[in-house]
Amino acid sequence: MNALDISQVLMYLLLLILLTPVLGGYMHKVFSGERHFMLPVFGWLEKLTFRVTGTKPEQGMGWKSYTWSLLLFNLGGFVVLFLLQLTQNLLPLNPARLPAVSWHLALNTAVSFITNTNWQSYAGETTLSYLVQMTGLTVQNFLSAATGIAVMLALVRGIVGRSSLLGNFWADITRIILYVLLPLSVIFAVVLNAEGVIQNFSGPVTVSTLEGGKQVITMGPVASQEAIKQLGTNGGGYFNANSAHPFENPTPLTNFLEMLAILLIPAALTYTYGRMTGSLKQGYTLFTCMMVLFVAGLLVSLYAEYHMVSPAGKGLVMEGKELRFGTTGTVLWTVATTVASNGSVNGMIDSMSPLTGITAMFNIMLGEVIFGGVGSGMYGMLLFVFLTVFIAGLMVGRTPEYLGKKIEAFEVRMALAGILIPGFMILLFAAIASVSKPGLAGLNNAGPHGLSEILYAFSSAAGNNGSAFAGLNANTVFYNLALGFTMLFGRFGVIIPVMAIAGSMAVKKVTPLSVGTFRTDNLLFIILLTGVILIVGGLTFFPALSLGPLAEHILMHSAVTF
Amino acid sequence: MKTKKTTSVFTRGLILTAVKDSFSKLNPLTLVKNPVIFIVALGALLTSGIVIAGTRGGHFSSFDLQISLWLWFTVLFANFSEAIAEGRGKAQAESLRRSRTQVKARKISGDHEETVTSAMLKKGDFVICEAGDQIPSDGEVTEGIASIDESAITGESAPVIRESGGDRSAVTGGTKVISDRIIIRITSEPGNTFLDRMISLVEGAKRQKTPNEIALSNLLLGLTIIFLLAVATLPAFFLYSLKASGLPPSQNLSLPVLVSLLVCLIPTTIGGLLSAIGISGMDRLLQKNVISTSGKAIEAAGDVDVLLLDKTGTITLGNRMATDFIPDEGISAGELADTAQLASLSDETPEGRSIVVLAKEKFNLRAREVQNLRASFIPFSAQTRISGVDLFSAGGEQQRIRKGSSEAIKTFVQNNNGFYPKNIEETVAEIARSGATPLVVAKDDKVLGVIHLKDIVKGGIKQRFAELRKMGIRTVMITGDNHLTAAAIAAEAGVDDFMAEARPEDKLARIREEQKKGHLVGMIGDGTNDAPALAQADVGIAMNSGTQAAREAGNMVDLDSNPTKLIEVVETGKQLLMTRGALTTFSIANDVAKYFAIIPAIAISLYAGSNGKGPLSVLNIMNLGSPQSAILSAVIFNAIIIILLIPLALKGVRYRPVSAMEALTRNLLIFGLGGIIAPFIGIKLIDLLINL
């Protein structure tokens, strides 16, 4: 690593730290209905939306009706996206005359986008029309991100609230999109466009290459989709090569900005959380814990990539990395996207060192709580907080409580369900895939590396990350369905328990703070929380990880590669 | 009971019974109540089956046999911990049951008496008890006064007085009348007396899981399920890896190995000890002579953050004591003391006695023989608020000596055409301001001076409150005294808050108010008028000497009737919760080491190089002898740690009155960090022993 690499990493972390309170504070104003500077710009649109849809924003919902609204909303999104794909050959804005998508791929893709996973079994430019990309994928990029934030809002209102009402889902979704996602995306899209990310409706361009061959270059409205793809921790690329493609991510500057966009909202939400709970320290505690885990993963990966062993000897290996981003730009990207449940890639994890692979996979397996997806990172982290408070809270000699509310059997059950359901899906399907014919058919690599590919695919689906190890051909009926199920359970298997906790916490009595209270805003708690995340997350997957990437890593150092 | 108690956790008889019970608890219907241990038992059964089948098939595996034996030991050890915790309660129940023999009762029906057995007594019946009789059932004295031997219940041999009306009217079935005759109204149905309930509580027959225990069981079950899945999916990943390393599928993990891994990972330590911890919490309270009607109440005691304490008896010694004589101008302190002593000679109240004692201590005045003085005594009454003595001096003239409240003495002196001096009024006001009670002494028409009567705050109580404050518990003193007096005592005792001129209904209102703010309130009380407050409080401790109503309303009964018990109860509750948390943390932290023992052991052949060792053998950081000894050591450690932790589970982790932060740091270092390190050492040692 040279000085430039180091300063890039430091600059990145610094900007993230500085922007967190700025955006976080603004979001708090939006979510709590305070006056903010976007109100004059979009206030009329909000009012119009409410009038047209008949939404009464001040009418609070209990946890059940909030959850039902959310599920219906997502079901609607699923149906639209599914049908759009099946009928794209009949619809306009399809200059490349792409045929209808197969049912299982359409199903997989629809689930993938409503769950904020953006797993790409499809190859964007050769499978989906502009219409589907714009009105299907991009719209879902907004809606699924907004859903994540809405769930977090409901949970936090439950934690700090004094009544059983958790806010109005429709009003929340409208405000999140209008005042947070849309303005940020517009600004970011313009910046990307200025830096060379394309935005047009032209058909594919055919050019002659220097060697006299012919190449078809796909065009399309990329910048607009790219912006929300990163900001909403979605990650589904316009192109199959995702952010390694020069039209999606042309320069080191766009690379840097896109990386920042990936963690921007998830990090800022910790500050919003601090504001909502009335204690910024609570928010910064979670921010610090996430930061520590993020930096730890980053250091491990950087070390691994700069000390990789390849058949060519020790040293820098550039296979699977873009020269214009360099090793640091690729590793930082990989770690940022895997902690944030953002499926975009600018390099091929498949080609990176096994330790980078473990880190990436581990980040996802921990439940996407290190910053995590927009909203989902925070509510996932809060599940770990509940668990930590319960295990450690007993040790101070009181019924465990968080922010004055008791954590009892119901919350423990729900928190465990939310944490364990994704793990359950990963282990179950990875086990099936690793011994079954259709599962093994998709593998490109042998040995422990193949196992890593399978584990990664299901972890990515369960964590709603969407990035792929690559090297696994997942567009088969088996993988499309298995991964589709895993994504659904990984998303709603967490959301429903989280909403149930929000409902039960909302009506609990608040115990006032005293020196007898178990503090959740200090260094000791950060250590505890980190420990619980690593042990509960780690213990579950350690056997599987040992047989896959860990074995591979050790073998690599004895010069055996796969 | 109190005298018979042993401080040691284990006695020979207890252990023998517990060993026997550990086997009878193998009954699947009992085992299934503890899912973690039930799974271990299933694993033990499975491996035993494999051993038997293998032996029959002619290939006996000593490794499988050893695994299977240690799995059975794990189950038995867990059963043993529960059995020994129950055993201690059972022994106490046995001694209680002996006092619950059937007795003849003299029931009043209409205008005559009939003899029935105690089992036939219904609620509302009236019975007569005389000296020597055993009281047939719980009840309330409606007529008469008697001294009663309650040693069968409290272990205290000194008899207590029970009388009709007032706050000491409750009697308990199984206790004995020593003197006098009383009429009792029966207040409980047969089979549901205090003694019956106590026996079933002590035996644990009615023990229900407490809220925190349920939450913890859920956590353990959740962890068990996920580890079950982690282990169940392992053969699939293993099969893939075998194929990839060119090994035959027949080398896949054997069931005993998988079961071993599972048992090592699921939280057997806390799972095995959980119920023992709960039972022993009740038991520890019992050793403090407090009986809790439910485990829930003990747990709630740990959560209590406001304590309502009666001033008298809890914060101050029951009585006020004379601490000073302040004479009027022209009178010597000695003369005042002498007169005051005369006035108090036959005053049997504690205040009166303290005056006699103080005069003796300060001026060496001996108590005189009262008969020689031809004195007649005027006892204190609430109406006159005055007491004293009429006597004849050596000269034969009658003297009237009085002591009493300032107002009463003023009237007395003025009636005798005397004059009530201004400086006495000032002294009186000053004493009252300091929180003490002034008692004015007069002889005929002359005021001699003032006695300073002071509430004596119990020794060490201030420090106790400071400790409570450190734990985040607020103390509120409740007194009928006026605001000035209450404030002064509150300051001296170091309570956080006080309620002056409090009536019983104020107590109830205060509890409701605190609860509304989210606090959990604990209180101790004895009188009938305490009953609503006791029922409302989250932890209400009724004194055994109190009324039946109070005993019914509270969720604990203190057999010693000692008001400071409340503090000990809170401490026991906290200790119980801490013990659970500490052992859970220990149990989960243990898993790290077990992974490092078992994973390299099972994966040694995968992707093996020329030396026969696969890449994952670098994880064998403990350098364990062989794959088999590694697995066996982990299983043995897992079983033995349960036995080793039984004393801790029964005694509870060491409790100190410190803040949450300090308690957490301490417990985390011992049980969290210790939990990670200890098994590394333990497994290595066992491995060394096995490979000797």
Side-chain angles (χ1 to χ4, degrees), chain A residues 111-139:
Chain A
V111 168
S112 166
F113 276 79
I114 62 158
T115 56
N116 196 252
T117 311
N118 302 28
W119 170 263
Q120 285 176 279
S121 277
Y122 66 96
E125 66 271 44
T126 57
T127 319
L128 301 175
S129 73
Y130 293 172
L131 184 81
V132 177
Q133 293 259 20
M134 282 181 71
T135 60
L137 303 191
T138 308
V139 167

Side-chain angles (χ1 to χ4, degrees), chain B residues 149-288:
Chain B
D149 173 12
E150 290 194 336
S151 59
I153 292 183
T154 61
E156 194 64 60
S157 50
V160 292
I161 301 291
R162 292 284 178 262
E163 58 188 327
S164 62
D167 289 344
R168 290 188 298 172
S169 59
V171 287
T172 311
T175 55
K176 223 173 191 172
V177 179
I178 296 180
S179 70
D180 303 292
R181 173 180 187 275
I182 44 176
I183 294 179
I184 301 164
R185 186 169 57 83
I186 302 299
T187 52
S188 60
E189 297 292 350
N192 193 26
T193 64
F194 184 65
L195 208 57
D196 290 319
R197 272 182 292 151
M198 213 161 121
I199 291 169
S200 74
L201 282 168
V202 172
E203 275 186 327
K206 275 195 192 160
R207 207 180 86 83
Q208 283 173 331
K209 282 192 173 173
T210 59
N212 274 315
E213 211 175 341
I214 292 171
L216 192 51
S217 314
N218 284 331
L219 176 78
L220 301 183
L221 188 61
L223 292 176
T224 306
I225 291 172
I226 195 68
F227 285 130
L228 195 60
L229 192 79
V231 172
T233 52
L234 198 54
F237 299 132
F238 212 79
L239 184 64
Y240 173 92
S241 308
L242 283 172
K243 264 197 268 174
S245 10
L247 296 168
S250 59
Q251 285 196 16
N252 208 334
L253 302 170
S254 72
L255 268 175
V257 168
L258 285 174
V259 171
S260 306
L261 180 61
L262 176 66
V263 169
C264 285
L265 295 184
I266 61 176
T268 47
T269 313
I270 179 67
L273 295 171
L274 191 57
S275 111
I277 296 171
I279 298 170
S280 69
M282 224 166 204
D283 205 53
R284 278 202 299 281
L285 265 194
L286 204 62
Q287 285 178 32
K288 291 179 175 148

Side-chain angles (χ1 to χ4, degrees), chain A residues 39-307:
Chain A
L39 217 48
V41 187
F42 280 135
W44 60 275
L45 196 53
E46 178 191 317
K47 284 203 189 84
L48 187 70
T49 314
F50 289 161
R51 194 165 315 140
V52 171
T53 56
T55 304
K56 296 194 182 74
E58 65 289 343
Q59 201 168 52
M61 294 173 164
W63 80 268
K64 280 181 185 154
S65 58
Y66 200 101
T67 312
W68 276 116
S69 308
L70 182 149
L71 291 176
L72 272 177
F73 181 67
N74 279 278
L75 179 67
F78 169 81
V79 171
V80 170
L81 188 51
F82 185 59
L83 294 179
L84 268 178
Q85 294 178 78
L86 289 183
T87 57
Q88 67 169 354
N89 53 335
L90 309 173
L91 297 170
L93 276 179
N94 186 2
R97 312 229 149 272
L98 297 168
V101 181
S102 74
W103 68 271
H104 53 90
L105 181 58
L107 185 92
N108 180 286
T109 308
V111 168
S112 166
F113 276 79
I114 62 158
T115 56
N116 196 252
T117 311
N118 302 28
W119 170 263
Q120 285 176 279
S121 277
Y122 66 96
E125 66 271 44
T126 57
T127 319
L128 301 175
S129 73
Y130 293 172
L131 184 81
V132 177
Q133 293 259 20
M134 282 181 71
T135 60
L137 303 191
T138 308
V139 167
Q140 275 308 319
N141 276 350
F142 278 96
L143 301 187
S144 65
T147 302
I149 298 180
V151 172
M152 171 206 153
L153 288 181
L155 176 61
V156 181
R157 289 182 190 133
I159 293 173
V160 298
R162 299 285 194 275
S163 86
S164 64
L165 300 179
L166 304 173
N168 186 301
F169 174 73
W170 306 108
D172 284 342
I173 285 282
T174 312
R175 287 178 180 146
I176 293 164
I177 293 173
L178 275 186
Y179 299 126
V180 180
L181 299 178
L182 205 53
L184 280 174
S185 299
V186 169
I187 298 167
F188 193 42
V190 171
V191 173
L192 286 177
N193 196 216
E195 273 295 303
V197 179
I198 59 166
Q199 177 80 5
N200 59 46
F201 289 103
S202 322
V205 179
T206 311
V207 292
S208 304
T209 63
L210 283 175
E211 287 154 357
K214 283 207 169 187
Q215 189 184 356
V216 179
I217 299 175
T218 311
M219 293 286 154
V222 181
S224 57
Q225 192 180 334
E226 193 66 17
I228 185 63
K229 161 188 144 187
Q230 307 301 27
L231 286 165
T233 59
N234 293 291
Y238 188 91
F239 299 101
N240 191 36
N242 208 304
S243 292
H245 194 293
F247 284 173
E248 281 202 20
N249 189 8
T251 65
L253 181 63
T254 55
N255 193 56
F256 185 83
L257 291 177
E258 286 187 26
M259 288 193 294
L260 201 57
I262 290 166
L263 291 189
L264 184 63
I265 297 180
L269 281 172
T270 59
Y271 186 89
T272 310
Y273 179 71
R275 271 286 170 82
M276 288 177 81
T277 55
S279 156
L280 286 180
K281 271 180 93 182
Q282 296 288 351
Y284 273 118
T285 303
L286 301 187
F287 180 85
T288 312
C289 179
M290 292 171 172
M291 199 54 143
V292 166
L293 286 166
F294 173 63
V295 171
L298 187 60
L299 291 179
V300 169
S301 301
L302 281 173
Y303 175 85
E305 287 310 312
Y306 280 96
H307 295 86

